[in-house]
Amino acid sequence: MTSPLFPGPLPTRRSLFSSTGKAAAILAAAALTLSGCSTGPAASVTAATSAGGSTAFPVTIEHVFGSTTIEKQPTRVATVSWVNDDVAIALGVVPVGVPKNEWGGNSKGSTPWKDAALEKLGAGFGSAKAPVQYSEADGINFTEIAKLSPDVILAAYSGLTEEDYKKLSEIAPVVAHPQVAYGTSWQDSTTIIGKALGKEAQAAQLVADTEATVKDKVAKYPQIAGKSFIYGNLEPAKGDGVNVYTANDNRPRFLTEIGMTLAPVVAENSKGSKEFYIPWSAEKANELASDIFVTWVPDASTTDAIKADPLLGQIPAIKNGALVADSDNTLTLSISASSPLSLPWSLDTFLPQLAGAADAVK
C-alpha cells in the first residue's frame, strides 16, 4: 500500500509517518463499545432516508476489482481510509465505525470539520451515538471492522489491494475505488457513496453546493487564476530529491479546478502514468519550472532549509519567492484528502497562502 499524503513504496499505514521522517507516535485509544453506538448510527440512517431517499435497491457499483451489489439500503456503514467517512456524514449518515485520523487529526483522533458535522447529527465523539474509531496505523483493521457487523464498507477513496478487498468482502459488500488508488476525486467519491447509501439526489446537491462554496471563496483571489503550479514534497534533510504529484492526485486536481494550471514539466513527464506522484532528481530541480510551488513541511526551519539548499533552492518558483510551504498537518490533510466537509473548512486559510505566492510571481 502507498500513502496518498506522502509518496513512496509503503507497506502499511504506519509508513505514512516514517515517510515524512517522523516516528509513528500512535497510542491505542480505548474503542467505544459496540453496544454503545449500535442503535444510534442505524437510526441516523433511517431518519435521513425518510427525509428523502433517492435510490432504488438493489444497486450495483462498478470498481477496480469488478462490481459490488448492495441488496438493500445500508443501515450499518463502516469506512476505511480518508474521505469516505466525511462523505457519509455530510450526507447525514453516521457510520458505525470510522478510522482514526492519526495524522493531521486532533486529540479525538478526528478533524475539526468531522467533529462539527457529527455534532450537528447528535453523534459527536464521546456521545452514545458516535462512531467507533479504529486504528489504521498498520493497515486495514479487519478485526475491528468485523466486530461492528457492517452491511456495507465504503472505500471509494482508498488504496485497497485486491487482497484487502477480498478480506473485507468476507465481512460485508465493499465499495472500492473506481480506478486509480487514492485517485478518486471528492466529487466522484460523493457520487459513488451517495448511490451506495441510497442518496443519489442528496449527493448531487452536496457536490453542487460544495463547488459553489469553493467558487465563491476563490473569486476573492483573482491573482490565482491562470498561475502554473507544482505540488510536491520537498525534504532537504532526506537528500533523495523531490516527489512531484501528478494530475491523478487530488492536490493538483484541486488547484486545477480553481483555475490554476499544472506545470507543463509535470504534465509531460507523467503523461499516461497511473501513479499519484513521480520522483524527481534534486540535480534536476532547476527544471521544475512553474509560477508557484506548493509543499508540506514539518516545521518552519525546513522552509528555510529548502530555500538555502543548493539544489532545491534553484527551483524557479522558490527563487522567485513563490513557495507555499505549509506545516499545518490538519490543513494539509484537508486538501490532500479533500471532501465536501474538509474543503470549505480549509479555504479561508489555504487560499490566502496561494494568493500571497501568486503576488510574488514576476
Side-chain angles (χ1 to χ4, degrees):
M1 181 184 294
T2 58
S3 161
L5 297 186
F6 303 101
L10 311 178
T12 68
R13 283 278 178 199
R14 188 175 296 278
S15 301
L16 173 61
F17 298 84
S18 62
S19 69
T20 65
K22 289 178 175 273
I26 307 298
L27 300 177
L32 299 174
T33 63
L34 176 59
S35 60
C37 73
S38 59
T39 58
S44 297
V45 175
T46 303
T49 301
S50 64
S54 60
T55 303
F57 286 83
V59 297
T60 298
I61 297 175
E62 306 290 331
H63 51 70
V64 69
F65 303 118
S67 63
T68 294
T69 297
I70 303 170
E71 297 295 339
K72 60 182 182 179
Q73 186 163 36
T75 59
R76 297 188 62 81
V77 177
T79 72
V80 301
S81 187
W82 300 280
V83 179
N84 304 290
D85 54 350
D86 281 9
V87 172
I89 293 165
L91 290 171
V93 174
V94 180
V96 293
V98 300
K100 296 176 186 175
N101 290 105
E102 293 170 299
W103 194 94
N106 54 28
S107 61
K108 299 178 183 179
S110 181
T111 58
W113 54 89
K114 186 156 48 186
D115 287 341
L118 283 173
E119 290 291 341
K120 286 183 180 179
L121 295 173
F125 289 115
S127 72
K129 294 184 178 181
V132 168
Q133 293 173 288
Y134 34 81
S135 174
E136 288 191 342
D138 290 311
I140 303 298
N141 202 323
F142 303 100
T143 301
E144 294 303 313
I145 292 173
K147 288 179 182 178
L148 297 172
S149 301
D151 48 22
V152 71
I153 299 169
L154 301 179
Y157 175 88
S158 71
L160 291 184
T161 64
E162 188 163 11
E163 180 182 2
D164 291 335
Y165 172 75
K166 289 178 179 178
K167 289 180 71 174
L168 285 173
S169 295
E170 294 174 1
I171 301 171
V174 181
V175 179
H177 54 282
Q179 293 180 333
V180 179
Y182 298 116
T184 313
S185 69
W186 68 265
Q187 293 97 327
D188 286 347
S189 293
T190 303
T191 300
I192 292 166
I193 290 171
K195 181 176 181 180
L197 299 181
K199 293 174 168 291
E200 284 188 286
Q202 295 96 321
Q205 188 62 54
L206 179 59
V207 170
D209 290 346
T210 305
E211 289 181 334
T213 297
V214 172
K215 183 178 180 180
D216 287 346
K217 289 181 179 292
V218 171
K220 299 176 183 178
Y221 303 98
Q223 65 268 55
I224 294 173
K227 295 295 187 296
S228 64
F229 71 89
I230 295 174
Y231 208 131
N233 191 34
L234 301 176
E235 296 183 62
K238 292 180 68 175
D240 57 357
V242 183
N243 293 308
V244 175
Y245 299 112
T246 71
N248 295 324
D249 186 83
N250 278 339
R251 284 156 283 204
R253 182 181 287 133
F254 171 68
L255 295 185
T256 300
E257 287 175 354
I258 65 172
M260 301 180 71
T261 302
L262 182 63
V265 64
V266 178
E268 292 165 6
N269 283 277
S270 60
K271 190 176 298 182
S273 172
K274 292 186 177 181
E275 300 296 328
F276 66 87
Y277 80 99
I278 55 174
W280 195 272
S281 169
E283 283 71 23
K284 298 194 299 179
N286 63 312
E287 298 177 14
L288 291 172
S290 65
D291 291 326
I292 297 171
F293 197 105
V294 185
T295 184
W296 171 86
V297 291
D299 48 47
S301 64
T302 301
T303 303
D304 295 335
I306 289 170
K307 294 176 180 178
D309 189 274
L311 297 177
L312 301 183
Q314 296 306 305
I315 294 174
I318 295 175
K319 288 181 67 175
N320 294 333
L323 171 66
V324 176
D326 182 62
S327 60
D328 183 334
N329 293 355
T330 304
L331 181 60
T332 295
L333 178 67
S334 71
I335 300 295
S336 302
S338 53
S339 76
L341 294 181
S342 73
L343 282 179
W345 177 90
S346 70
L347 295 182
D348 289 339
T349 301
F350 186 59
L351 290 177
Q353 293 181 6
L354 285 177
D359 289 338
V361 175
K362 300 173 181 178

